[in-house]
């Protein structure tokens, strides 16, 4: 990928996808941001691009950030994107937002603003934490019971993802998007337990990273509660995105780009 010319005084935007729904989901948002003159880089997380295995969550954060300068083959970020070390805007959705929580805590010098849509923050949001752990346990149990039955794995992955993104979000993925999720069934079963175990640890209050936690207006109450708790934890603010649920880059991609522009 070659970055498009952008405003010299605005940070690059890094888009980080979540579990099951991959980098292709950002296509319209990415194009809209580029049309507005932003330099945009779409991350392809391990397992979603070239057949790599899934990785430890903190290792993925390191890979994304180091990829801005170094890891050209594993992450779709050009060497020039760091702009001589200038921090970037981290935009993460779902699992990509949870990775953004880790990045804001562990690698704040690399990030100017973190726009995080519905991240996990472990037991700091106990109701959501329990819900995700139940889903992970179900995936693990069903995988054990199903053995190597690929149809069963796909069915359980679809059930989990439909619950995660909501019926409308699942429908708006379209045939190709849903097929891509189904093809990642084994990866979903591998990744979800890692996210379910995630705990953010202590958060320094030094103001190094401005954090905006976004949540979909249509998302369930447990997500709104978790967004408030995440903002408290990360010393950030909450922004409710009208008319969407868990997948703003799918449900309202152009409006999501406009929001990113306004926030960063």
């Amino acid at each position: 990928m070659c970055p498009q010319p952008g405003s010299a005084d605005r940070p690059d935007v890094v888009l980080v996808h979540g579990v099951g729904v991959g980098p292709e989901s950002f296509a319209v948002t990415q194009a809209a941001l580029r049309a507005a003159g932003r330099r945009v880089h779409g991350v392809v997380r391990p397992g979603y691009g070239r057949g790599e295995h899934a990785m430890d969550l903190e290792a993925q954060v390191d890979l994304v950030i180091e990829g801005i300068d170094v890891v050209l083959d594993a992450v779709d970020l050009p060497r020039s994107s760091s702009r001589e070390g200038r921090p970037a805007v981290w935009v993460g959705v779902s699992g990509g937002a949870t990775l953004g929580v880790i990045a804001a805590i562990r690698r704040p010098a690399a990030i100017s603003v973190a726009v995080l849509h519905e991240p996990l923050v472990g037991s700091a949001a106990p109701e959501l934490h329990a819900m995700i752990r139940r889903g992970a346990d179900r995936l693990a149990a069903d995988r054990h019971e199903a053995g190597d039955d690929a149809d069963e794995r796909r069915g359980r992955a679809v059930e989990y993802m439909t619950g995660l993104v909501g019926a409308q979000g699942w429908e708006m993925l379209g045939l190709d998007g849903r097929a891509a999720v189904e093809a990642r069934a084994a990866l979903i079963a591998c990744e979800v337990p890692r996210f379910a175990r995630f705990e953010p640890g202590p958060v320094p209050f030094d103001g190094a990273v401005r954090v905006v936690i976004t949540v979909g207006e249509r998302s369930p109450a447990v997500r709104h509660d978790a967004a408030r708790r995440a903002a408290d934890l990360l010393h950030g603010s909450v922004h409710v995105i009208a008319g969407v649920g868990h997948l703003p880059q799918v449900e309202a991609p152009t409006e999501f780009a406009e929001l990113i522009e306004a926030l960063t």
Side-chain angles (χ1 to χ4, degrees):
M1 175 194 68
C2 295
Q4 298 298 310
S7 173
D9 59 355
R10 305 191 72 187
D12 293 11
V13 178
V14 178
L15 303 174
V16 189
H17 64 88
V19 173
V21 180
E24 68 281 351
S25 66
F26 279 109
V28 176
T29 297
Q30 187 166 347
L33 285 167
R34 286 178 171 174
R38 297 299 289 269
R39 290 168 55 99
V40 187
H41 315 287
V43 170
V44 181
R45 296 202 297 107
Y48 288 82
R50 303 176 180 86
E52 319 93 321
H53 294 292
M55 295 173 63
D56 173 81
L57 301 187
E58 293 195 356
Q60 290 196 40
V61 169
D62 291 338
L63 185 64
V64 171
I65 292 172
E66 291 167 7
I68 294 174
D69 297 310
V70 180
V71 192
L72 307 183
D73 293 332
V75 178
D76 195 14
L77 299 177
R79 190 177 298 272
S80 61
S81 71
S82 67
R83 307 276 200 87
E84 290 72 46
R86 288 177 55 182
V89 173
W90 183 299
V91 177
V93 172
S94 190
T98 303
L99 294 175
V101 172
I102 300 173
I105 295 171
R106 292 187 59 239
R107 304 291 294 274
I111 304 168
S112 60
V113 184
V115 180
L116 310 177
H117 188 76
E118 303 190 359
L120 300 179
V121 287
S123 55
E127 189 177 353
L128 179 62
H129 185 54
M131 184 181 80
I132 297 298
R133 288 183 69 91
R134 286 194 298 271
D137 290 345
R138 176 75 186 277
L139 281 172
D142 289 333
R143 182 174 59 177
H144 176 74
E145 293 170 4
D148 292 326
D149 190 309
D151 289 338
E152 285 288 337
R153 286 199 301 273
R154 281 194 295 271
R156 298 309 179 190
V158 167
E159 180 182 19
Y160 177 83
M161 292 299 299
T162 303
L164 180 70
V165 308
Q168 184 170 332
W170 181 251
E171 183 66 24
M172 291 188 71
L173 282 170
L175 289 174
D176 290 344
R178 293 193 295 271
V181 171
E182 292 183 29
R184 295 167 177 148
L187 183 57
I188 292 166
C190 177
E191 284 202 307
V192 170
R194 298 180 183 196
F195 282 99
R197 292 192 298 267
F198 168 66
E199 290 287 350
V203 180
F205 181 45
D206 56 11
V209 179
R210 181 165 68 90
V211 176
V212 180
I213 304 295
T214 62
V215 60
E217 179 185 32
R218 293 192 299 96
S219 290
V222 64
R223 289 286 184 183
H224 288 259
D225 173 72
R228 291 189 293 270
R229 292 172 183 270
D232 288 345
L233 178 73
L234 297 166
H235 315 295
S237 60
V238 176
H239 182 95
V240 178
I241 305 179
V244 307
H246 194 61
L247 297 175
Q249 79 277 29
V250 172
E251 298 168 58
T254 303
E255 292 83 355
F256 191 41
E258 291 170 354
L259 176 63
I260 295 165
E261 274 282 276
L263 292 174
T264 64

